[in-house]
Amino acid sequence: MITFDAESRIFYLENEQITYAFAVPEGRSPEHLFFGPRCGRDLTTGSYSQNGLAHQIIRKDASGFAYNPTRVPQEIHTALGGDFGEPTVLLGDSAGNRRFDLSFSAFRILPVKPALPGLPSLRGGETLELILTGRGVTVTLLYTLFEDCGVLARSLSVRNTGEAPLSVRKAFSFAFSLPVGSYKAVSLWGAAGSEGQLQNQPLSSFGLFGVDSRRGFSSAIHNPFLALAEETATEDRGMVWGANLVWSGSFALHAERMTTGLVRFQGGFDAEDFAWKLEPGESFQAPEAVLAFSEEGLSGLSRAYHTAYLDHLIDPARARKPRPVVFNNWEGTRFDFNGDGLREMIRLTGDLSPDVFALDDGWFGKRNDAFSGLGDWTPNEAKLGGPLSDLAACVRKTGMRFGLWFEPEMVNADSDLFRAHPDWVLRTPCDTPAEGRSQLVLDLTRPEVRDYVAAAVNRILDNCPVDYVKWDCNRDLTEGYSSSLPAERQQEVFYRQILGLYNLLDRIVGTHPDIFFEGCSSGGSRTDPGMLAYFPQIWISDQSDCAARAKIQYGISLFCPLPAQSCHVTASPNRRAAHLTPIASRAAIAGLGAAGFEFDPRRLPPEELAAVPELIRRFREDEDLVLRGELHRLLSPFGGNWFAEELVLPDQSAARIVAMKFLENFNQPDPRIYPRGLSPDTRYRAEIFSSVPGKAAPQKTGEFLMSGRSLMHFGLRPDFSAGDFQSLILTLRAEKDAV
Ligand code: GLA
């Protein structure tokens, strides 16, 4: 609910769990008051003046109230007015003015959340539109609070209302401040094949802490997610604030401890090399930030994000619906396949009965390695042993559906496309463009390039029975230069490239509602909410070793819902890890997401191949908990030898705990596992399934009855005596009779 108290000039956005409040004093920028557990509508504004002290800038608002701008927590910080913290927006006009004071001018409460022009955003209801005006400029802030979770969407746009061009040099999406206190920053760093690594740092020192990407994409190096937590917060207790961006380009998220002790939290797209020329009457739209708050620690924050993304961002026709069990050939064959081999794989895979057989990279152009062919979306019939549609028919005959890999945004220099259009790539005229994985980046700021790519991909999708697409992107952006734009617009290129990408996705994904699209970027280099708006699931890592994967999935689950994480069972050892792991454990971890498979069925050990139908049956049987369950992370694999996560149905009628011990630790204690979120007075039937040496499928190793209360307080004493990488799956089902 959104209310405005006209007397105190305070806006309250509140649902059952949280309150977000700010004041709109006359003649100055809105003052942030509160973001936290639900409060009354009786908050007060601050007193922020320390007149007379050296190096204190004092200004007066329209009511004569004297304040020191650096000391006031604001909803948007502008530069050069005496606020010496980091600004939220930076503007400049053609006369050289760079100071733009903004003050409240009007508001509207819209019944439905408006879409953002050119950008993905969450769907929602009641939305506060706050209009701030300054000299020749209007800034509009949008706020939407969701009723079913502690999440607030906030965005910002700038409109030139003057007579001459304006330059937008920075436009972060959100700003709010945490009160004086002790906090830690929780973020996700990584690399391709090692995404989602959790890091935890005390925010004890004064100054700026941040995570960012300057790679043109959101990246695996730092995910566009940052949480600030009370110093004492744990997985299930304590106050935590999160920020995540519905944006797939470079970004920055910053926490700045001011000398006042307040922590200024803000972020948006990266503006280090940015300037956007805004003609009179034009607007610039910054991406949406998704802000979340929980009093139930980091797991509580994750549950809020999962609800927001599954119910308000991901396509509702897919979000909580059963996911196809995909079999992909990449880890099994890489580029090395031919028509006969593929048909043999299809026959063997069909016997295992997954839903989709997906043909990965290498089916088009002259593409037998990563050095050539990218961009030439013409099936290589000689390699495929006939037309692509014949192969699709062969897949469909087995009862599976047909999937195909694309990397639409890129091109190899050794390709017909590049030879015909060398100017269609991003490149600085004075330099040779940098290559990454031997490829160049198509210039998606150009409409004719987008037209070509959309037509080339859609031609395949419309002429061949394709049911599933994996959309990949395998390099970062380096050159922010488009040959089609004038010099004064070159600093817009990185931003325009992402707008071009979203436009391309609208024209390919948006025009094929019957095709299931999965996102990928060398694994999880673009796992962000912007991509979730198009892809109901993302291949979150090329790393599929279950020990490394357990960490990646644990980290990414901080914001990314489990059904949106594509997780495949692959052969062991694999190319990225020498560990020998039981297939039952690989499947236990993959079963915490949208599960599938990726190996060569001609080479997998026969006993493992024989277990696959049983593993698929289990994935399907357990899927409801992945789609609707609430996540509790129980044991962190970061720094520990164990992993445990629990999913509980919202009505508490069923739960599943998946646990794994990494390495045998002879004669040393294993931790107890304390389930959470159960109904205390319900009796649960617990069944334990374990990976057992010599058996491929998980084996039942125990069964007992226990109340939710005892399970949560007495805990579980797992039997981890079956060697390295042993996994346990504990299913809990409510019995009809209460305790
Ligand atoms: C990326 C993806 C892989 C595979 C290859 C194909 O690395 O992450 O899963 O699709 O590209 O080249």
Side-chain angles (χ1 to χ4, degrees):
M1 181 156 70
I2 301 169
T3 47
F4 178 56
D5 179 345
E7 202 178 315
S8 60
R9 299 179 66 93
I10 295 178
F11 281 98
Y12 293 93
L13 291 96
E14 55 196 340
N15 65 17
E16 288 193 350
Q17 301 146 47
I18 64 172
T19 293
Y20 188 99
F22 59 86
V24 286
E26 267 179 278
R28 65 177 158 106
S29 179
E31 177 182 331
H32 176 78
L33 293 181
F34 184 75
F35 183 21
R38 183 159 179 179
C39 283
R41 280 180 224 147
D42 48 6
L43 306 185
T44 53
T45 56
S47 154
Y48 299 110
S49 145
Q50 283 184 311
N51 213 346
L53 290 185
H55 295 281
Q56 299 279 343
I57 301 294
I58 299 300
R59 299 183 60 189
K60 284 197 175 146
D61 70 16
S63 71
F65 176 78
Y67 66 99
N68 174 345
T70 301
R71 302 185 74 86
V72 186
Q74 295 168 37
E75 292 292 305
I76 174 169
H77 298 268
T78 53
L80 302 180
D83 175 349
F84 298 113
E86 189 192 12
T88 316
V89 294
L90 281 173
L91 306 170
D93 69 17
S94 36
N97 294 306
R98 277 126 49 232
R99 181 175 146 193
F100 288 79
D101 291 334
L102 296 169
S103 56
F104 171 69
S105 112
F107 77 96
R108 285 195 299 166
I109 296 177
L110 311 171
V112 176
K113 182 173 185 287
L116 301 185
L119 289 168
S121 57
L122 275 66
R123 304 173 297 272
E126 200 182 48
T127 296
L128 173 63
E129 183 188 65
L130 194 77
I131 314 265
L132 312 176
T133 48
R135 183 180 10 88
V137 66
T138 293
V139 170
T140 303
L141 304 180
L142 292 180
Y143 298 85
T144 310
L145 187 60
F146 299 90
E147 287 305 315
D148 50 358
C149 53
V151 168
L152 179 93
R154 145 89 192 235
S155 62
L156 177 153
S157 66
V158 181
R159 192 169 131 79
N160 181 353
T161 54
E163 311 275 294
L166 203 63
S167 172
V168 181
R169 306 214 178 122
K170 176 180 186 180
F172 268 180
S173 304
F174 75 97
F176 68 91
S177 295
L178 300 183
V180 178
S182 301
Y183 303 102
K184 57 188 172 189
V186 181
S187 60
L188 299 168
W189 68 279
S194 186
E195 297 82 346
Q197 305 296 305
L198 197 101
Q199 66 178 353
N200 224 306
Q201 279 145 290
L203 274 185
S204 47
S205 44
F206 289 86
L208 201 66
F209 170 85
V211 292
D212 58 32
S213 162
R214 295 187 198 99
R215 295 171 173 257
F217 295 121
S218 49
S219 96
I221 309 305
H222 280 142
N223 202 279
F225 165 86
L226 178 61
L228 304 184
E230 281 184 302
E231 200 177 29
T232 52
T234 62
E235 269 293 342
D236 60 337
R237 269 188 283 268
M239 299 206 283
V240 191
W241 295 260
N244 201 196
L245 301 171
V246 191
W247 174 243
S248 309
S250 297
F251 72 92
L253 289 166
H254 291 163
E256 182 178 15
R257 183 179 284 280
M258 312 284 292
T259 49
T260 55
L262 298 180
V263 177
R264 189 178 285 191
F265 192 7
Q266 54 182 345
F269 73 88
D270 164 63
E272 277 206 343
D273 181 23
F274 175 82
W276 185 285
K277 188 175 171 195
L278 210 54
E279 298 288 353
E282 282 183 353
S283 293
F284 175 83
Q285 178 64 58
E288 181 165 89
V290 189
L291 311 177
F293 170 78
S294 175
E295 279 185 289
E296 295 176 357
L298 283 164
S299 280
L301 190 82
S302 301
R303 290 192 291 275
Y305 274 117
H306 296 176
T307 302
Y309 295 155
L310 286 171
D311 296 333
H312 305 288
L313 179 66
I314 298 175
D315 178 0
R318 308 272 188 207
R320 293 196 189 260
K321 301 283 161 48
R323 302 307 172 98
V325 175
V326 173
F327 178 93
N328 180 301
N329 72 307
W330 176 252
E331 287 292 326
T333 65
R334 299 174 66 80
F335 294 105
D336 188 12
F337 56 81
N338 59 31
D340 289 344
L342 274 181
R343 281 167 178 76
E344 171 71 352
M345 280 179 82
I346 291 166
R347 190 180 61 73
L348 291 170
T349 308
D351 292 344
L352 308 174
S353 70
D355 297 303
V356 171
F357 180 92
L359 178 57
D360 211 280
D361 197 354
W363 58 267
F364 51 88
K366 199 184 103 205
R367 181 79 172 166
N368 293 314
D369 50 39
F371 304 119
S372 65
L374 198 59
D376 296 339
W377 300 112
T378 307
N380 182 343
E381 296 192 356
K383 184 172 177 181
L384 298 178
L388 186 64
S389 48
D390 283 5
L391 197 77
C394 171
V395 170
R396 285 184 158 202
K397 231 184 274 163
T398 65
M400 297 184 290
R401 285 170 277 147
F402 181 56
L404 211 50
W405 179 96
F406 287 91
E407 189 174 353
E409 302 152 66
M410 305 285 168
V411 65
N412 282 126
D414 183 3
S415 68
D416 295 341
L417 178 61
F418 184 71
R419 278 183 285 274
H421 299 285
D423 56 332
W424 276 13
V425 298
L426 295 176
R427 62 192 296 179
T428 314
C430 62
D431 259 335
T432 315
E435 289 193 12
R437 211 192 187 211
S438 307
Q439 60 198 53
L440 302 162
V441 183
L442 286 171
D443 179 356
L444 299 183
T445 73
R446 296 174 74 141
E448 65 276 30
V449 177
R450 299 198 298 269
D451 290 349
Y452 172 84
V453 176
V457 174
N458 285 341
R459 192 175 313 119
I460 301 281
L461 301 185
D462 295 336
N463 291 304
C464 179
V466 176
D467 307 287
Y468 159 99
V469 165
K470 176 174 169 189
W471 180 306
D472 210 340
C473 163
N474 280 312
R475 65 157 284 182
D476 297 320
L477 305 186
T478 44
E479 282 87 11
Y481 194 100
S482 165
S483 52
S484 69
L485 290 171
E488 82 262 22
R489 290 206 177 266
Q490 293 301 335
Q491 284 178 294
E492 299 174 8
V493 168
F494 275 174
Y495 200 85
R496 285 184 182 273
Q497 179 75 5
I498 302 298
L499 295 181
L501 168 61
Y502 291 142
N503 175 269
L504 195 61
L505 285 158
D506 286 334
R507 294 163 66 180
I508 298 176
V509 179
T511 54
H512 293 90
D514 294 337
I515 297 181
F516 192 104
F517 284 84
E518 172 164 331
C520 174
S521 177
S522 318
S525 292
R526 213 163 54 181
T527 306
D528 61 64
M531 287 292 114
L532 289 178
Y534 294 94
F535 305 132
Q537 65 192 42
I538 294 176
W539 175 236
I540 57 160
S541 182
D542 277 353
Q543 175 59 274
S544 53
D545 166 71
C546 63
R549 256 285 172 153
K551 283 186 169 179
I552 294 168
Q553 292 175 213
Y554 188 101
I556 292 295
S557 76
L558 246 73
F559 72 92
C560 184
L562 270 50
Q565 302 181 28
S566 172
C567 304
H568 291 179
V569 176
T570 62
S572 172
N574 73 23
R575 292 190 319 117
R576 286 171 198 81
H579 303 143
L580 277 171
T581 61
I583 191 169
S585 297
R586 282 172 258 157
I589 299 299
L592 285 166
F597 295 86
E598 196 158 332
F599 51 75
D600 186 339
R602 298 166 298 183
R603 299 209 179 95
L604 200 73
E607 65 285 2
E608 293 196 356
L609 196 65
V612 171
E614 162 69 3
L615 300 176
I616 293 180
R617 189 191 63 71
R618 284 171 164 273
F619 287 152
R620 291 187 177 128
E621 192 176 287
D622 295 344
E623 191 171 16
D624 195 35
L625 269 160
V626 175
L627 295 170
R628 297 199 297 126
E630 294 177 350
L631 177 70
H632 297 264
R633 287 178 295 257
L634 306 180
L635 292 176
S636 172
F638 291 97
N641 195 24
W642 299 267
F643 161 94
E645 285 186 357
E646 179 194 22
L647 286 163
V648 187
L649 281 186
D651 68 1
Q652 300 170 311
S653 63
R656 178 154 52 108
I657 294 163
V658 175
M660 188 165 70
K661 175 169 166 175
F662 296 105
L663 297 177
E664 173 57 41
N665 55 347
F666 180 69
N667 215 5
Q668 290 179 32
D670 291 318
R672 276 200 193 199
I673 296 177
Y674 294 95
R676 294 200 282 266
L678 301 174
S679 154
D681 296 322
T682 296
R683 191 191 306 275
Y684 290 91
R685 176 169 301 278
E687 288 184 289
I688 305 171
F689 298 87
S690 174
S691 60
V692 167
K695 303 268 187 216
Q699 304 293 308
K700 186 163 169 182
T701 52
E703 181 170 348
F704 60 92
L705 280 170
M706 202 181 252
S707 66
R709 193 181 301 281
S710 299
L711 280 162
M712 291 191 287
H713 298 314
F714 180 73
L716 302 161
R717 289 167 294 183
D719 175 7
F720 275 126
S721 54
D724 294 349
F725 309 110
Q726 183 199 345
S727 59
L728 292 172
I729 298 178
L730 183 105
T731 60
L732 297 171
R733 284 206 177 74
E735 296 276 292
K736 289 223 169 48
D737 56 319
V739 177

